[in-house]
Amino acid sequence: MTLALDPTAQDLLFREARTVGAFLGEPVSDEQLQEIYDLVKFGPTAFNQTPLRIVLVRSDEARAKLLPHMSDGNRDKTAAAPLVAILAADNEFHEELPELLPHFPQAKDLFFAERPVREQSASMNAALQSAYFIVGVRAAGLAAGPMTGFDHAGVQKEFLDDDHSPLMIVNIGRPAPEAAFPRSPRLGYDSVVTSV
Amino acid sequence: MTLALDPTAQDLLFREARTVGAFLGEPVSDEQLQEIYDLVKFGPTAFNQTPLRIVLVRSDEARAKLLPHMSDGNRDKTAAAPLVAILAADNEFHEELPELLPHFPQAKDLFFAERPVREQSASMNAALQSAYFIVGVRAAGLAAGPMTGFDHAGVQKEFLDDDHSPLMIVNIGRPAPEAAFPRSPRLGYDSVVTSV
């Protein structure tokens, strides 16, 4: 192995890390979430935009409102997870660009004046940030259970507004033993990478 | 710091890693790319789909064809980078689902029979995989310069086909000293995370 990242970290973030549906009861604190965010906020995006928004479903009332929107296969996992986070894209992210891109504040109006352009950019870049967030959850020694199987319109109406589109819901916690499926196959390098 | 990931790895992947536009001349080998891919292929996606495709622009002829499609601000960086990779989404990824999701092969037809649904899923999940790839480039001790500023239709026509949509183009190499802008600000935790 010639990667600069040491093998223990490779295992923690990718090789041994698994999507799980069952967790130990141990809670996940706001301090842990802040450490995760303060690490992964540096992940690169287009024009340094930061469309990702995270809604932590902390209260019993909020959890009870979320569960009916989950698909049948995801409801029990979401009911039992120590922490549930709704990841969403802010389609009005361009308002922050003058602050986030001080050397090119014109980007806000030059590129993002039109809402459909913003929605496309917000969903793409919030997806990048969601992946960094999942890596960050693993960096904290926790497991993430990301899910797209839920009523997106229902979750938007219940927890967000017209300017925020849900991307995924992530269960977070310390994994229960034997909580993961056997690892499914991945496409090999030669199926994915070509040279021209 | 209480993250399980050691601080050196945190710096390598997020805190010290920077998007750069200028690289040393040192080439990036196919072996390095394979190590990167073989690490980040384990990053989670919905239904274990693997829509990401990577086209390495290796030949002078291919590089010459690519440059006219780059935006003015990105052309010189792309001309000079040791390696340029086109990251694309395969909108027909569902054909692989029976192989990739052996415990639920019906997903292919149950969820992905319609092309617009596939395109949406392919771009979302290939974006997740693109973020894992950027993290992997950094894990290899290299710097990534991801760019969305190019003629997407032109790159699709020149290098891909109707079933593959370009997402971003990534310059890859060992960064030149002073190759990065000063770090721009990021939104703080309290601007991004709320609890309900």
Short mmCIF file of all heavy atoms in Angstrom, two decimals, chain B residues 51-78:
data_model
loop_
_atom_site.label_atom_id
_atom_site.label_comp_id
_atom_site.label_asym_id
_atom_site.label_seq_id
_atom_site.Cartn_x
_atom_site.Cartn_y
_atom_site.Cartn_z
N PRO B 51 -22.91 4.57 -9.84
CA PRO B 51 -23.02 5.27 -11.12
C PRO B 51 -21.76 6.02 -11.54
O PRO B 51 -21.65 6.40 -12.71
CB PRO B 51 -24.18 6.25 -10.88
CG PRO B 51 -24.18 6.48 -9.40
CD PRO B 51 -23.74 5.17 -8.78
N LEU B 52 -20.82 6.25 -10.63
CA LEU B 52 -19.64 7.05 -11.00
C LEU B 52 -18.80 6.36 -12.07
O LEU B 52 -18.48 5.17 -11.96
CB LEU B 52 -18.76 7.30 -9.77
CG LEU B 52 -17.50 8.14 -10.03
CD1 LEU B 52 -17.86 9.57 -10.39
CD2 LEU B 52 -16.56 8.12 -8.83
N ARG B 53 -18.47 7.11 -13.10
CA ARG B 53 -17.50 6.67 -14.12
C ARG B 53 -16.40 7.71 -14.19
O ARG B 53 -16.66 8.91 -14.03
CB ARG B 53 -18.17 6.53 -15.49
CG ARG B 53 -19.22 5.43 -15.55
CD ARG B 53 -18.62 4.04 -15.37
NE ARG B 53 -19.65 3.00 -15.40
CZ ARG B 53 -20.37 2.62 -14.33
NH1 ARG B 53 -20.17 3.19 -13.15
NH2 ARG B 53 -21.27 1.68 -14.44
N ILE B 54 -15.18 7.24 -14.43
CA ILE B 54 -14.01 8.12 -14.42
C ILE B 54 -13.28 7.96 -15.75
O ILE B 54 -12.89 6.84 -16.11
CB ILE B 54 -13.08 7.77 -13.25
CG1 ILE B 54 -13.82 7.89 -11.91
CG2 ILE B 54 -11.83 8.67 -13.27
CD1 ILE B 54 -13.04 7.37 -10.70
N VAL B 55 -13.13 9.05 -16.47
CA VAL B 55 -12.35 9.05 -17.71
C VAL B 55 -11.06 9.80 -17.45
O VAL B 55 -11.08 11.01 -17.18
CB VAL B 55 -13.14 9.70 -18.87
CG1 VAL B 55 -12.30 9.68 -20.14
CG2 VAL B 55 -14.47 8.99 -19.09
N LEU B 56 -9.94 9.09 -17.52
CA LEU B 56 -8.64 9.72 -17.33
C LEU B 56 -8.17 10.28 -18.66
O LEU B 56 -8.08 9.54 -19.66
CB LEU B 56 -7.63 8.69 -16.81
CG LEU B 56 -8.00 7.98 -15.50
CD1 LEU B 56 -6.93 6.96 -15.13
CD2 LEU B 56 -8.21 8.98 -14.37
N VAL B 57 -7.90 11.56 -18.68
CA VAL B 57 -7.47 12.22 -19.91
C VAL B 57 -5.94 12.11 -19.96
O VAL B 57 -5.21 12.93 -19.41
CB VAL B 57 -7.94 13.68 -19.93
CG1 VAL B 57 -7.51 14.37 -21.23
CG2 VAL B 57 -9.46 13.74 -19.78
N ARG B 58 -5.46 11.02 -20.60
CA ARG B 58 -4.03 10.68 -20.55
C ARG B 58 -3.27 11.19 -21.77
O ARG B 58 -2.12 11.60 -21.66
CB ARG B 58 -3.87 9.15 -20.49
CG ARG B 58 -4.21 8.54 -19.14
CD ARG B 58 -3.03 8.68 -18.22
NE ARG B 58 -3.19 7.97 -16.95
CZ ARG B 58 -2.51 8.32 -15.85
NH1 ARG B 58 -1.67 9.34 -15.87
NH2 ARG B 58 -2.68 7.65 -14.74
N SER B 59 -3.88 11.14 -22.93
CA SER B 59 -3.11 11.44 -24.16
C SER B 59 -3.11 12.94 -24.45
O SER B 59 -4.00 13.69 -24.03
CB SER B 59 -3.73 10.69 -25.35
OG SER B 59 -4.99 11.25 -25.67
N ASP B 60 -2.10 13.38 -25.16
CA ASP B 60 -2.06 14.78 -25.58
C ASP B 60 -3.26 15.12 -26.45
O ASP B 60 -3.80 16.24 -26.38
CB ASP B 60 -0.77 15.06 -26.36
CG ASP B 60 0.47 14.95 -25.49
OD1 ASP B 60 0.33 14.99 -24.24
OD2 ASP B 60 1.57 14.82 -26.05
N GLU B 61 -3.67 14.17 -27.29
CA GLU B 61 -4.80 14.41 -28.19
C GLU B 61 -6.07 14.66 -27.37
O GLU B 61 -6.85 15.57 -27.66
CB GLU B 61 -5.02 13.21 -29.12
CG GLU B 61 -3.92 12.97 -30.13
CD GLU B 61 -2.64 12.34 -29.53
OE1 GLU B 61 -2.65 11.93 -28.34
OE2 GLU B 61 -1.64 12.27 -30.26
N ALA B 62 -6.30 13.83 -26.37
CA ALA B 62 -7.51 13.99 -25.55
C ALA B 62 -7.47 15.30 -24.77
O ALA B 62 -8.47 16.02 -24.67
CB ALA B 62 -7.66 12.80 -24.59
N ARG B 63 -6.30 15.63 -24.23
CA ARG B 63 -6.17 16.90 -23.49
C ARG B 63 -6.48 18.08 -24.43
O ARG B 63 -7.17 19.03 -24.03
CB ARG B 63 -4.77 17.02 -22.91
CG ARG B 63 -4.49 18.30 -22.15
CD ARG B 63 -4.65 18.15 -20.66
NE ARG B 63 -3.77 17.14 -20.13
CZ ARG B 63 -3.17 17.18 -18.94
NH1 ARG B 63 -3.37 18.21 -18.14
NH2 ARG B 63 -2.41 16.19 -18.52
N ALA B 64 -5.98 18.00 -25.67
CA ALA B 64 -6.22 19.09 -26.62
C ALA B 64 -7.70 19.21 -26.95
O ALA B 64 -8.22 20.31 -27.18
CB ALA B 64 -5.40 18.87 -27.89
N LYS B 65 -8.40 18.09 -26.97
CA LYS B 65 -9.84 18.14 -27.23
C LYS B 65 -10.62 18.69 -26.05
O LYS B 65 -11.69 19.28 -26.20
CB LYS B 65 -10.36 16.72 -27.53
CG LYS B 65 -10.07 16.24 -28.95
CD LYS B 65 -10.70 14.87 -29.16
CE LYS B 65 -10.25 14.27 -30.47
NZ LYS B 65 -10.57 12.83 -30.55
N LEU B 66 -10.09 18.46 -24.84
CA LEU B 66 -10.81 18.90 -23.64
C LEU B 66 -10.70 20.42 -23.43
O LEU B 66 -11.67 21.07 -23.04
CB LEU B 66 -10.25 18.17 -22.41
CG LEU B 66 -10.84 18.58 -21.05
CD1 LEU B 66 -12.35 18.33 -21.01
CD2 LEU B 66 -10.13 17.82 -19.92
N LEU B 67 -9.53 20.96 -23.67
CA LEU B 67 -9.26 22.35 -23.25
C LEU B 67 -10.26 23.37 -23.80
O LEU B 67 -10.68 24.28 -23.05
CB LEU B 67 -7.83 22.75 -23.62
CG LEU B 67 -6.75 22.00 -22.83
CD1 LEU B 67 -5.36 22.47 -23.25
CD2 LEU B 67 -6.94 22.18 -21.33
N PRO B 68 -10.70 23.27 -25.07
CA PRO B 68 -11.66 24.28 -25.54
C PRO B 68 -13.00 24.26 -24.78
O PRO B 68 -13.72 25.25 -24.82
CB PRO B 68 -11.89 23.89 -27.01
CG PRO B 68 -10.71 23.05 -27.38
CD PRO B 68 -10.29 22.35 -26.13
N HIS B 69 -13.30 23.16 -24.11
CA HIS B 69 -14.55 23.07 -23.37
C HIS B 69 -14.45 23.65 -21.96
O HIS B 69 -15.47 23.80 -21.27
CB HIS B 69 -15.01 21.61 -23.29
CG HIS B 69 -15.26 20.98 -24.62
ND1 HIS B 69 -16.30 21.37 -25.43
CD2 HIS B 69 -14.60 20.01 -25.29
CE1 HIS B 69 -16.27 20.66 -26.56
NE2 HIS B 69 -15.25 19.83 -26.49
N MET B 70 -13.23 23.91 -21.50
CA MET B 70 -13.07 24.45 -20.15
C MET B 70 -13.40 25.94 -20.13
O MET B 70 -13.15 26.65 -21.11
CB MET B 70 -11.63 24.24 -19.65
CG MET B 70 -11.14 22.80 -19.65
SD MET B 70 -12.21 21.64 -18.73
CE MET B 70 -12.07 22.30 -17.05
N SER B 71 -13.94 26.42 -19.01
CA SER B 71 -14.17 27.85 -18.88
C SER B 71 -12.82 28.57 -18.84
O SER B 71 -11.79 27.96 -18.51
CB SER B 71 -14.98 28.15 -17.62
OG SER B 71 -14.22 27.86 -16.47
N ASP B 72 -12.84 29.85 -19.18
CA ASP B 72 -11.57 30.58 -19.31
C ASP B 72 -10.72 30.48 -18.04
O ASP B 72 -9.51 30.30 -18.12
CB ASP B 72 -11.86 32.06 -19.61
CG ASP B 72 -12.41 32.24 -21.03
OD1 ASP B 72 -12.28 31.30 -21.83
OD2 ASP B 72 -12.97 33.30 -21.32
N GLY B 73 -11.36 30.56 -16.89
CA GLY B 73 -10.61 30.54 -15.65
C GLY B 73 -10.01 29.18 -15.32
O GLY B 73 -9.15 29.07 -14.45
N ASN B 74 -10.49 28.13 -15.98
CA ASN B 74 -10.02 26.78 -15.67
C ASN B 74 -9.09 26.20 -16.74
O ASN B 74 -8.48 25.14 -16.52
CB ASN B 74 -11.22 25.82 -15.51
CG ASN B 74 -11.99 26.09 -14.22
OD1 ASN B 74 -11.40 26.51 -13.22
ND2 ASN B 74 -13.29 25.83 -14.24
N ARG B 75 -8.98 26.89 -17.90
CA ARG B 75 -8.29 26.25 -19.04
C ARG B 75 -6.79 26.04 -18.76
O ARG B 75 -6.26 24.96 -19.00
CB ARG B 75 -8.51 27.07 -20.31
CG ARG B 75 -8.04 26.33 -21.57
CD ARG B 75 -8.50 27.01 -22.85
NE ARG B 75 -9.95 27.03 -22.92
CZ ARG B 75 -10.69 28.15 -22.95
NH1 ARG B 75 -10.11 29.34 -22.91
NH2 ARG B 75 -12.00 28.08 -23.01
N ASP B 76 -6.13 27.08 -18.25
CA ASP B 76 -4.68 26.96 -18.04
C ASP B 76 -4.35 25.91 -16.97
O ASP B 76 -3.39 25.16 -17.11
CB ASP B 76 -4.09 28.32 -17.65
CG ASP B 76 -4.08 29.29 -18.82
OD1 ASP B 76 -4.37 28.85 -19.96
OD2 ASP B 76 -3.80 30.47 -18.60
N LYS B 77 -5.15 25.87 -15.91
CA LYS B 77 -4.92 24.88 -14.86
C LYS B 77 -5.06 23.47 -15.42
O LYS B 77 -4.27 22.57 -15.10
CB LYS B 77 -5.97 25.04 -13.74
CG LYS B 77 -5.89 26.35 -12.99
CD LYS B 77 -6.86 26.39 -11.82
CE LYS B 77 -8.29 26.70 -12.26
NZ LYS B 77 -9.18 27.06 -11.12
N THR B 78 -6.06 23.29 -16.27
CA THR B 78 -6.31 21.96 -16.84
C THR B 78 -5.25 21.59 -17.86
O THR B 78 -4.90 20.41 -18.01
CB THR B 78 -7.72 21.94 -17.46
OG1 THR B 78 -8.66 22.33 -16.46
CG2 THR B 78 -8.08 20.56 -17.98
#
